[in-house]
Structures are given as structure tokens and as C-alpha cells.
Amino acid sequence: MTATISLPPTAEAEDRSSSSSLRLSLAPVGPAPALLDGAWWPRSRDLVAELPTLTAVLDPLWGRITRVTVNPTHWPVVPRKVPVAGHVVKVGWFLAEQDPHELLLLSYRMGRWNLLVVPPRTAPDSAAWLMAAASDPLGTSTASRLMEEAARLRTVSEADRGVEAVWDSEGGHAAGDPAARPRIPAVTAALPLQPMGR
């Protein structure tokens, strides 16, 4: 299941000058559990500002989210508790034990879910690829492996654009377009008459 969920803007959301839609992609239930249950693309690295919107959507789907853990590598501040609609989510962190690109969510009665956290300033095309890959119900990649693959694909794409730019500057696309080809005047020469077959 891929979900882009729009919620009505709040005063906090308007103050942050951000869009009110939650950028979230969830994997459908598959035959075997995947390593990731989806991806979340927050607008900032501020857990106090970002978690309420995420839990507001996930609480009805997965049961009340009671605890979240992160790797502090990419989160400048890890609060101990975050107030969300109607309850408080406890936040913990693991440096060595948790993938730095992953958010672990726990529901008291329903279980746990692992989401890839797409960095807030990721380009939209790369974020779309990451969200689709993390939502694959047969996925076998970790969050860090997906981030490495996205970086590799970005590098290949940039190299391809560089080669194409050189090709274009040397007349590549223009040479392939018949309308852009320079006109070469037709040259006709008089051929001597050949006698007809005997």
C-alpha cells in the first residue's frame, strides 16, 4: 500500500511553511515479512515536529504507537518523549544496534514496524525510488543498502547527463534531427548516353 495522506493544515504546519501531506509509503502485507515495512520522508530532522503527523496516520492503521527508536546519527536532537494526539510517544535511540536510516515504531498490542527514513532534502525522483523500494513486500534490502543504491543510481544518472551534455555540445542531438541538418546542395552531372542493350 502506498499512501500520500493529506491532513488539514494546523497552525504549527503553517508556521513551518510546509505542505500538510504526510509523505509515507507502506508495504502491503506479503507472504514473508520484508526487512522494511515502508518509508517515511519527513520534512525536517525535528522529531518533536514530525512524529505527531506520522503517528496520527499510523495509530488507526497499526494501533497506538507507544515507542519509537532512532539512530542519533541523523537526528540532531532525540527527545525522550513526544506529545502526540491523545498520548505521549517515548523515544529511544541505539547507536550501534540500529540502522542510521531507519525508524523503529512499536505498538503496545500490535507489534513493531521498521521504516526507511528518506532524508528531508532528498531530490523528489530519488525519494520516489527509495519509497517504492522500501515498500516492496518482497524486499530484502536494509535501509542503509537502499540509501547506498540510491546514491549509486544518482551518480550513474549524473554521469549519463554529463556524457549527454558533451554529446549535445558536439552536435549529437542536432545531428540526429533531419530538420536540423544543414542542406547540402544537390549536384547533378550529365551522364553520357549508353546504348540500349543489343
Side-chain angles (χ1 to χ4, degrees):
M1 169 174 116
T2 301
T4 301
I5 302 162
S6 296
L7 302 173
T10 64
E12 289 176 17
E14 289 172 3
D15 288 344
R16 288 187 295 147
S17 301
S18 68
S19 172
S20 60
S21 64
L22 178 66
R23 300 180 298 186
L24 176 68
S25 178
L26 301 176
V29 177
L35 289 178
L36 294 169
D37 298 294
W40 174 46
W41 187 16
R43 288 181 165 66
S44 73
R45 290 289 186 177
D46 181 354
L47 284 169
V48 173
E50 299 291 340
L51 278 179
T53 306
L54 179 64
T55 60
V57 170
L58 295 180
D59 279 356
L61 298 174
W62 291 347
R64 181 176 279 191
I65 304 298
T66 56
R67 186 174 299 272
V68 170
T69 66
V70 297
N71 181 314
T73 302
H74 298 295
W75 298 98
V77 176
V78 180
R80 293 185 62 194
K81 296 178 182 179
V82 175
V84 299
H87 66 287
V88 172
V89 173
K90 294 180 181 175
V91 181
W93 60 271
F94 296 99
L95 191 56
E97 299 88 352
Q98 188 167 344
D99 188 311
H101 299 286
E102 193 174 279
L103 177 78
L104 172 68
L105 300 126
L106 298 159
S107 174
Y108 180 66
R109 295 182 183 187
M110 301 299 289
R112 83 179 233 181
W113 296 270
N114 297 16
L115 296 180
L116 164 73
V117 178
V118 178
R121 295 179 189 235
T122 302
D125 57 339
S126 186
W129 183 88
L130 283 164
M131 293 181 84
S135 300
D136 182 353
L138 303 174
T140 58
S141 290
T142 65
S144 283
R145 254 189 273 151
L146 288 178
M147 293 298 292
E148 289 167 4
E149 181 65 11
R152 187 190 69 74
L153 290 172
R154 193 169 42 254
T155 302
V156 167
S157 176
E158 289 168 1
D160 287 349
R161 280 195 299 268
V163 169
E164 189 172 319
V166 169
W167 187 63
D168 286 345
S169 72
E170 294 174 351
H173 276 112
D177 181 6
R181 289 186 193 142
R183 297 279 177 203
I184 300 172
V187 178
T188 57
L191 297 174
L193 291 174
Q194 299 287 329
M196 296 294 282
R198 299 182 210 214

